[in-house]
């Protein structure tokens, strides 16, 4: 989850940034002053990078704790004797129920058993239902990848 941030922080070093800053100093700055400034820049940048790494670790720990706390939310349902078990079962069966219901609807529509008139509210509802349920089942990226084909199919290119 934080791999890109880790990589960016690993590539930053005080010496590298200080050398880059020192190379951009005007020519009127002498070599001794340049070396002194580069050393000070390096120390200052290393301190700030250390602060960033500490903040990143704290953020990562907080995110992990929140994820862990959210994973424990089913404990409330387990305490309710009969309805808790039914609630857990329905929660677990939600994706398969939606998936098979959509599969049934799609089979009926695409096989011609159910007809829809073009540009009707029924057709719009059918495509919206497909996008919502498939987006729920497979995620936003899947819907984004399928949208160009759907737009071509509906003639909205």
């Amino acid at each position: 989850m934080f791999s890109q941030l880790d990589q960016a922080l690993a590539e930053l070093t005080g010496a590298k940034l200080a050398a880059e800053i020192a190379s951009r100093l005007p020519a009127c700055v002498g070599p001794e002053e340049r070396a002194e400034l580069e050393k000070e820049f390096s120390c200052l940048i290393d301190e700030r990078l250390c602060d960033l790494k500490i903040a990143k670790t704290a953020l990562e720990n907080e995110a992990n704790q929140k994820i862990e706390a959210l994973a424990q939310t089913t404990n409330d349902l387990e305490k309710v004797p009969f309805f808790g078990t039914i609630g857990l079962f329905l929660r677990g069966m939600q994706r398969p129920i939606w998936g098979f219901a959509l599969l049934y609807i799609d089979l009926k529509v695409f096989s011609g058993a159910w007809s829809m008139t073009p540009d009707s509210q029924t057709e719009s509802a059918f495509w919206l239902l497909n996008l919502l349920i498939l987006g729920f089942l497979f995620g936003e990226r899947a819907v984004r990848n399928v949208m160009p084909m759907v737009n071509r199919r509906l003639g909205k290119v």
Side-chain angles (χ1 to χ4, degrees):
M1 179 164 52
F2 291 97
S3 59
Q4 290 178 335
L5 181 60
D6 288 337
Q7 183 181 1
L9 284 175
E11 291 173 0
L12 288 177
T13 63
K16 187 162 88 172
L17 287 174
E20 188 176 327
I21 292 170
S23 70
R24 295 183 185 191
L25 289 174
C28 64
V29 177
E32 295 105 23
E33 291 174 318
R34 190 177 298 263
E36 174 116 4
L37 285 172
E38 190 173 336
K39 208 181 293 182
E40 288 181 30
F41 288 151
S42 179
C43 289
L44 181 65
I45 292 169
D46 282 336
E47 287 175 17
R48 298 299 183 254
L49 283 173
C50 185
D51 292 343
L52 277 173
K53 289 177 182 178
I54 290 170
K56 189 228 39 131
T57 302
L59 179 66
E60 191 173 2
N61 288 338
E62 184 179 341
N64 287 337
Q65 287 173 355
K66 286 185 179 184
I67 289 170
E68 185 66 30
L70 288 173
Q72 302 293 329
T73 57
T74 61
N75 290 343
D76 296 342
L77 285 175
E78 292 171 354
K79 294 177 184 173
V80 180
F82 177 71
F83 293 111
T85 307
I86 291 174
L88 283 174
F89 175 75
L90 291 176
R91 181 179 178 191
M93 289 300 297
Q94 185 174 6
R95 286 177 185 253
I97 289 170
W98 282 111
F100 285 121
L102 184 66
L103 179 65
Y104 176 76
I105 292 169
D106 286 349
L107 284 173
K108 288 292 190 177
V109 169
F110 292 129
S111 69
W114 293 350
S115 62
M116 290 189 292
T117 57
D119 296 330
S120 67
Q121 283 186 338
T122 308
E123 184 185 33
S124 297
F126 170 75
W127 287 109
L128 181 63
L129 186 66
N130 267 285
L131 288 175
L132 288 174
I133 292 175
L134 292 175
F136 171 70
L137 293 175
F138 298 110
E140 178 187 351
R141 183 178 291 171
V143 172
R144 225 181 303 133
N145 291 339
V146 172
M147 278 307 294
M149 182 199 64
V150 170
N151 285 336
R152 277 194 310 271
R153 168 78 170 90
L154 295 176
K156 296 181 180 177
V157 176

